[in-house]
Structure formats: structure tokens, C-alpha cells
């Protein structure tokens, strides 16, 4: 293990490269299709990355409405890093950044099996609607 491999560094607003995101998403999501993330990140309020030993091991995107609402999207943790608290750390960091940037409400949609994870991040349940387009 190289120096620093045991340390996870969180950063907000430092854009990951497409190559870094593709590498992370490929091992994390079975249905990932390569695409450019530049247009997505250009419309984001901010994003948070986690690196270990120079490798991207976590990512969360925060999209804002230009007012008081922000939304968590694409929370992704490398499979080798899961169940160690990194996911909670990165989402809480994203919440702090959204607050710092003026958001008063942070929203997240998730599948039922992720409810306890997002509760540990500080989210409470709410009724919402969803339409597939």
C-alpha cells in the first residue's frame, strides 16, 4: 500500500474526469453506459468526490433549482469501499455544501432497500410523486 492509500479525501466542486467516473460507475452499476459527464456537471450545484490512493472511490451529484431546493443524484461508492461509512460521509458532506451554497431543502429519491442508508445520512421520509418519461 502506498502512502495515503489508507486515507479517503473528500472534495467538493473539484470535477472528476469522465474516465474516473466511467471507471467508478462501471464497477458499481451493471447497466452503466459510457457518456460524457461534462453537460451533467455543468448544470450541477456542486458534487462531492472521494479519493483513496489517487483513485475515485465515491461520488455524489447535487443539483439545484436555483432557489432553496437541491437534489442528491448518482450516489456511488466503489464496491470495495462499501459498508465502511463512506457513503454516509459523502452524502453528509454534500448536504453541508448544498447548505453553504444557499439550499434550504435537500431531496433524495431512492429504492426501498436504501431507506436505512438515507436515514443514517439524516433524511426523513416524505410522500412524493414520480413519473417515468
Amino acid at each position: 500500500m502506498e502512502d495515503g492509500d489508507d486515507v479517503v479525501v473528500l472534495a467538493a466542486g473539484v470535477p472528476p474526469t469522465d474516465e474516473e467516473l466511467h471507471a467508478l460507475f462501471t464497477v458499481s452499476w451493471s447497466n452503466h453506459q459510457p457518456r460524457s459527464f461534462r453537460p451533467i456537471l455543468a448544470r450541477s450545484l456542486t458534487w462531492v468526490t472521494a479519493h483513496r490512493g489517487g483513485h475515485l472511490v465515491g461520488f455524489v451529484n447535487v443539483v439545484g433549482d436555483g432557489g432553496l431546493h437541491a437534489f442528491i443524484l448518482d450516489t456511488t461508492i466503489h464496491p470495495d469501499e462499501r459498508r465502511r461509512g463512506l457513503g454516509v460521509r459523502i452524502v453528509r458532506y454534500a448536504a453541508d455544501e448544498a447548505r453553504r451554497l444557499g439550499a434550504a431543502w435537500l431531496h433524495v429519491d431512492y429504492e426501498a432497500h436504501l431507506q436505512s442508508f438515507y436515514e443514517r445520512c439524516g433524511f426523513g421520509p416524505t410522500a412524493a410523486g414520480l413519473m417515468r418519461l
Side-chain angles (χ1 to χ4, degrees):
M1 184 179 294
E2 297 177 24
D3 287 341
D5 278 358
D6 60 337
V7 176
V8 173
V9 177
L10 300 181
V14 179
T17 66
D18 280 347
E19 292 76 19
E20 287 178 308
L21 285 169
H22 287 305
L24 176 61
F25 280 38
T26 296
V27 297
S28 300
W29 304 105
S30 61
N31 60 349
H32 172 66
Q33 297 294 315
R35 66 179 189 265
S36 174
F37 290 95
R38 298 301 108 204
I40 295 167
L41 296 180
R43 291 188 297 268
S44 298
L45 178 63
T46 193
W47 50 87
V48 176
T49 57
H51 286 82
R52 181 189 299 276
H55 299 283
L56 184 67
V57 296
F59 174 79
V60 65
N61 192 11
V62 182
V63 178
D65 71 348
L68 298 178
H69 295 268
F71 304 83
I72 293 283
L73 298 171
D74 299 327
T75 303
T76 305
I77 303 298
H78 191 286
D80 293 345
E81 300 287 337
R82 293 179 187 161
R83 308 222 182 278
R84 299 185 196 177
L86 178 57
V88 172
R89 283 181 56 208
I90 198 170
V91 170
R92 286 182 180 169
Y93 193 105
D96 290 343
E97 284 298 302
R99 182 182 305 107
R100 186 183 68 75
L101 293 169
W105 296 97
L106 187 60
H107 304 258
V108 66
D109 291 328
Y110 52 81
E111 295 176 4
H113 71 277
L114 294 172
Q115 181 172 347
S116 65
F117 166 74
Y118 281 108
E119 285 174 349
R120 286 191 310 275
C121 294
F123 288 90
T126 183
L130 179 66
M131 178 189 296
R132 184 177 181 119
L133 303 176

